[in-house]
């Protein structure tokens, strides 16, 4: 009869309709994915084409070993031409094996100093010399294998504690990784975690306490046995027990190495062999804790107004 539709026919029609629309929907998703991939590819291309701000020398000098003598010779540096230079006429000498704390108010140029020694940037004027060589003449990958940078916020990756410590020297044996952790006094903290060295770390180390993250980054630095150690001290967010553990670990890693530590707390600075006081991108004072207090200058004022 005309005008009568059986249940089976209706069901077949709806199922065919669904079969017809699903591929069209998938096609639109493929097109969407293609557009995203296309944009991502062009951005990767832009990134790879960007010129490096630390170009390689024509005949780079491969670094096989370092004494660890660092000299900043009349260094000036500006992040760009529009803003005030971060460093002006900085002249400093760091002897092999000594620990120097760099202190000063926010924006004084403390972290910039460390970044220039690591050659994250090139100086605008003057020279940074390591063992008498301008670091611009050194082969950068081989130079960086002889230095260790411990940033203020340690960056941990997804994986195990062991993998994170071995990041700078991935071929290390379990014994070497354990020895590095023991050397910085991190063994008891790691033993307290489920699985110990095999404990799984979330991205950026979110499932670890701030003190534990810092100990792991110091063990990572110890494992590569650097001749020059650059530290951006980060103990402000730690409780007293964790702070003491991190300060002790820092002392152990610094021993026998040329160490430059950006000290946010003056208790850290007091432990250093020498203190460099920065003000508005210039060196205001240099001396030991006691010498600078006796002088009654910029350091004494900072010390009087400390937390």
């Amino acid at each position: 009869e005309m005008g009568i539709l059986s249940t089976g026919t209706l069901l077949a029609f709806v199922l065919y309709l669904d079969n017809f629309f699903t591929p069209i929907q998938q096609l639109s998703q493929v097109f969407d994915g293609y557009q995203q991939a296309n944009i991502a590819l062009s951005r990767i291309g832009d990134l790879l084409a960007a010129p490096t701000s630390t170009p390689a020398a024509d005949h780079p000098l491969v670094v096989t070993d370092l004494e660890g003598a660092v000299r900043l010779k009349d260094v000036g540096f500006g992040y760009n031409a529009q803003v005030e230079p971060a460093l002006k006429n900085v002249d400093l000498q760091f002897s092999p094996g000594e620990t120097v704390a760099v202190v000063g108010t926010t924006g004084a140029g403390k972290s910039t100093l460390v970044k220039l020694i690591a050659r994250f940037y090139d100086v605008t004027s003057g020279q940074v010399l390591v063992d008498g060589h301008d670091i611009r003449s050194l082969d950068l990958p081989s130079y960086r294998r002889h230095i260790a940078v411990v940033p203020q916020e340690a960056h941990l990756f997804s994986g195990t504690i062991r993998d994170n410590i071995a990041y700078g020297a991935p071929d290390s044996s379990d014994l070497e990784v354990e020895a590095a952790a023991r050397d910085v006094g991190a063994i008891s903290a790691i033993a307290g975690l489920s699985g110990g060295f095999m404990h799984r770390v979330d991205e950026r180390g979110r499932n670890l306490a701030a003190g534990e993250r810092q100990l792991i980054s110091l063990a990572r630095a110890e494992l590569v046995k650097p001749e020059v150690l650059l530290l951006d001290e980060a103990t402000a967010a730690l409780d007293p027990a964790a702070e003491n553990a991190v300060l002790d670990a820092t002392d152990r890693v610094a021993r026998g190495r040329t160490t430059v530590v950006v000290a946010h707390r003056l208790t850290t600075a007091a432990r250093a062999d020498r203190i460099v006081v920065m003000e508005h991108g210039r060196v205001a004072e240099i001396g030991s804790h006691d010498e600078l207090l006796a002088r009654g200058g910029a350091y004494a004022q900072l010390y009087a107004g400390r937390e």
Side-chain angles (χ1 to χ4, degrees):
E1 270 181 60
M2 295 292 289
I4 294 173
L5 182 67
S6 71
T7 309
T9 308
L10 177 64
L11 197 62
F13 176 74
V14 169
L15 288 172
Y16 281 136
L17 203 61
D18 185 51
N19 283 354
F20 173 70
F21 273 112
T22 302
I24 292 174
Q25 216 167 10
Q26 286 170 341
L27 201 62
S28 70
Q29 285 169 351
V30 166
F31 184 69
D32 187 48
Y34 165 75
Q35 295 278 57
Q36 286 182 22
N38 211 14
I39 290 165
L41 188 63
S42 72
R43 285 183 182 165
I44 289 168
D46 291 345
L47 186 64
L48 292 174
T52 174
S53 59
T54 53
D58 291 337
H59 304 287
L61 189 68
V62 175
V63 180
T64 49
D65 60 341
L66 280 184
E67 281 287 312
V70 179
R71 167 96 196 269
L72 280 83
K73 198 173 171 185
D74 196 27
V75 163
F77 177 75
Y79 285 97
N80 62 54
Q82 280 74 48
V83 296
E84 182 78 3
L87 295 177
K88 289 164 273 194
N89 308 108
V90 173
D91 233 288
L92 287 171
Q93 184 111 27
F94 305 119
S95 303
E98 79 165 333
T99 297
V100 179
V102 184
V103 303
T105 53
T106 305
K110 307 183 297 292
S111 295
T112 304
L113 200 73
V114 166
K115 287 171 184 170
L116 291 179
I117 297 169
R119 209 188 165 203
F120 291 163
Y121 302 99
D122 275 339
V123 293
T124 312
S125 60
Q127 287 177 297
V128 177
L129 304 167
V130 175
D131 291 0
H133 300 288
D134 188 317
I135 59 172
R136 288 171 290 195
S137 69
L138 302 177
D139 171 60
L140 200 49
S142 67
Y143 168 59
R144 291 227 178 107
R145 274 194 283 275
H146 292 270
I147 68 171
V149 181
V150 181
Q152 197 169 357
E153 183 54 49
H155 191 102
L156 301 188
F157 302 92
S158 302
T160 63
I161 298 278
R162 184 217 175 281
D163 292 343
N164 270 284
I165 293 174
Y167 174 72
D171 298 332
S172 304
S173 68
D174 288 352
L175 282 174
E176 287 168 326
V177 171
E178 203 170 310
R182 184 173 287 107
D183 288 346
V184 303
I187 285 285
S188 57
I190 294 169
L193 300 168
S194 60
F197 281 91
M198 290 298 116
H199 181 81
R200 300 297 300 180
V201 178
D202 287 350
E203 195 176 345
R204 292 183 175 272
R206 284 180 304 226
N207 60 334
L208 297 174
E212 291 166 344
R213 289 199 294 271
Q214 208 62 13
L215 286 174
I216 289 163
S217 71
L218 287 164
R220 181 192 279 174
E222 175 62 37
L223 184 64
V224 298
K225 302 275 183 277
E227 284 85 359
V228 177
L229 179 67
L230 305 170
L231 288 164
D232 202 341
E233 175 225 31
T235 54
L238 307 183
D239 60 72
E243 182 180 352
N244 285 334
V246 169
L247 289 175
D248 286 345
T250 304
D251 283 349
R252 292 183 194 193
V253 182
R255 204 169 293 142
R257 298 187 168 109
T258 308
T259 304
V260 182
V261 53
V262 173
H264 299 275
R265 290 200 171 183
L266 297 186
T267 44
T268 308
R271 299 157 81 116
D273 300 321
R274 282 193 303 149
I275 299 164
V276 172
V277 185
M278 301 289 294
E279 270 185 351
H280 309 298
R282 296 181 190 273
V283 176
E285 293 181 308
I286 304 175
S288 70
H289 173 73
D290 294 336
E291 285 168 5
L292 293 177
L293 279 186
R295 195 177 294 171
Y299 182 75
Q301 286 175 1
L302 281 172
Y303 199 77
R306 74 193 190 284
E307 292 168 38

